[in-house]
């Protein structure tokens, strides 16, 4: 399986990193080895001194598909989740400056936190989901899927133009503003529509 990630999908986050607003979704991948095993602590890797959390809504793909039309995209998933796209911001900035791929900064071991999955039927409208990240009890990121530049079904249509989606693939839909650094002993909690869906200890 693969992790397909979207960058720059919330206007306020584009501004905080002083990035350009893209004409179409920014897409990158993480390998399946990036998934942080359940119940395991996140260890800050030795190659970075500036690991950032990015809380993101996740979508689990349930069947194979390519060139999926936006109007049928909703038939390709039943479960919604929340996770973290951990990013070595120092390394990413160096790579970006040289125009090089981001994989080392985005796809390293443990860089993908995948929280509890929730049936989408539970929600009235997946394009109006509130979510947040708490660091040591303080609310550091607040988002709502209504603020996405490209909504979930648009993202599925777009990425499936390039990559065949397979059962079990996970879409990371981009982070809202408020990204920041983690330090050893930080405790992170993610909530989706007020429900706690993951907790992570940073080492
Ligand atoms: Zn991200």
């Amino acid at each position: 399986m693969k992790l397909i990630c979207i960058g720059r999908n919330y206007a306020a986050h584009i501004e905080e990193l002083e990035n350009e607003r893209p004409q179409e979704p920014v897409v990158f991948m993480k390998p399946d080895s990036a998934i942080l095993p359940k119940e395991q602590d996140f260890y800050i890797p030795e190659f970075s001194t500036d690991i950032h959390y990015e809380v993101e809504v996740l979508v689990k793909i349930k069947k194979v598909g390519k060139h999926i039309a936006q109007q049928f995209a909703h038939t390709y998933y039943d479960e919604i989740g929340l996770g973290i796209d951990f990013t070595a911001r120092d390394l990413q900035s160096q790579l970006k400056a040289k125009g090089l791929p981001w994989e080392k900064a985005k796809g390293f071991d443990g860089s993908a936190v995948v929280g509890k999955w929730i049936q989408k039927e539970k929600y009235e409208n997946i394009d109006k989901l509130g979510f947040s990240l708490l660091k040591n009890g303080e609310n550091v990121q607040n988002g709502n899927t209504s603020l996405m530049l490209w909504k979930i079904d648009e993202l599925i249509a777009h990425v499936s133009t390039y990559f065949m989606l397979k059962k079990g693939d996970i879409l990371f839909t981009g982070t809202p503003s408020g990204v920041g650094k983690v330090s050893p002993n930080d405790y992170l909690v993610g909530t989706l529509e007020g429900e706690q869906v993951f907790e992570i200890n940073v080492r």
Side-chain angles (χ1 to χ4, degrees), residues 53-73:
Y53 50 77
E54 295 189 353
V55 71
E56 312 200 357
V57 167
L58 312 182
V59 180
K60 193 199 274 183
I61 301 299
K62 71 167 183 178
K63 62 182 181 183
V64 71
K66 60 196 290 184
H67 292 286
I68 299 165
Q70 191 182 323
Q71 78 223 65
F72 301 121

Side-chain angles (χ1 to χ4, degrees), residues 152-200:
I152 289 170
D153 290 352
E154 288 175 89
L155 292 173
I156 287 174
H158 181 78
V159 299
S160 69
T161 308
Y162 300 88
F163 310 109
M164 182 195 292
L165 302 183
K166 290 185 168 178
K167 185 177 177 179
D169 287 350
I170 299 173
L171 180 67
F172 278 65
T173 60
T175 194
S177 61
V179 300
K181 188 175 173 172
V182 289
S183 307
N185 301 317
D186 279 347
Y187 172 62
L188 304 173
V189 169
T191 70
L192 182 59
E193 285 286 293
E195 180 185 351
Q196 182 174 322
V197 285
F198 67 75
E199 58 176 338
I200 299 290

Side-chain angles (χ1 to χ4, degrees), residues 5-7 13 28 54 56 85 87 106 174-175:
C5 307
I6 305 300
H13 173 61
F28 60 95
E54 295 189 353
E56 312 200 357
D85 163 22
T87 303
K106 284 283 197 182
T175 194

Side-chain angles (χ1 to χ4, degrees), residues 5-202:
C5 307
I6 305 300
R8 304 182 197 172
N9 201 21
Y10 290 86
H13 173 61
I14 294 171
E15 282 164 25
E16 75 180 345
L17 291 188
E18 296 178 347
N19 280 320
E20 249 173 69
R21 202 177 171 122
Q23 300 293 317
E24 55 176 44
V26 173
V27 181
F28 60 95
M29 302 271 193
K30 290 180 190 257
D32 58 1
S33 49
I35 295 176
L36 185 69
K38 289 262 177 271
E39 315 294 332
Q40 196 168 299
D41 294 343
F42 174 76
Y43 284 83
I44 293 174
E46 73 285 349
F47 54 77
S48 175
T49 56
D50 195 21
I51 296 288
H52 276 198
Y53 50 77
E54 295 189 353
V55 71
E56 312 200 357
V57 167
L58 312 182
V59 180
K60 193 199 274 183
I61 301 299
K62 71 167 183 178
K63 62 182 181 183
V64 71
K66 60 196 290 184
H67 292 286
I68 299 165
Q70 191 182 323
Q71 78 223 65
F72 301 121
H74 66 97
T75 66
Y76 286 80
Y77 58 92
D78 287 331
E79 293 170 288
I80 301 288
L82 193 73
I84 297 179
D85 163 22
F86 276 121
T87 303
R89 194 72 73 202
D90 43 1
L91 187 52
Q92 188 196 25
S93 300
Q94 291 168 22
L95 293 167
K96 269 166 75 177
K98 292 181 188 162
L100 294 171
W102 298 346
E103 271 78 0
K104 288 188 207 169
K106 284 283 197 182
F108 58 89
D109 294 347
S111 62
V113 172
V114 176
K116 183 172 118 181
W117 292 106
I118 294 166
Q119 293 292 316
K120 71 177 179 192
E121 279 73 39
K122 189 176 168 190
Y123 304 119
E124 213 167 282
N125 184 352
I126 57 152
D127 291 328
K128 276 186 189 165
L129 296 178
F131 58 99
S132 61
L133 184 74
L134 292 94
K135 184 173 99 168
N136 306 324
E138 184 199 342
N139 214 318
V140 287
Q141 281 194 282
N142 283 301
N144 193 293
T145 55
S146 64
L147 299 172
M148 287 179 172
L149 299 181
W150 289 278
K151 302 290 189 288
I152 289 170
D153 290 352
E154 288 175 89
L155 292 173
I156 287 174
H158 181 78
V159 299
S160 69
T161 308
Y162 300 88
F163 310 109
M164 182 195 292
L165 302 183
K166 290 185 168 178
K167 185 177 177 179
D169 287 350
I170 299 173
L171 180 67
F172 278 65
T173 60
T175 194
S177 61
V179 300
K181 188 175 173 172
V182 289
S183 307
N185 301 317
D186 279 347
Y187 172 62
L188 304 173
V189 169
T191 70
L192 182 59
E193 285 286 293
E195 180 185 351
Q196 182 174 322
V197 285
F198 67 75
E199 58 176 338
I200 299 290
N201 289 297
V202 179

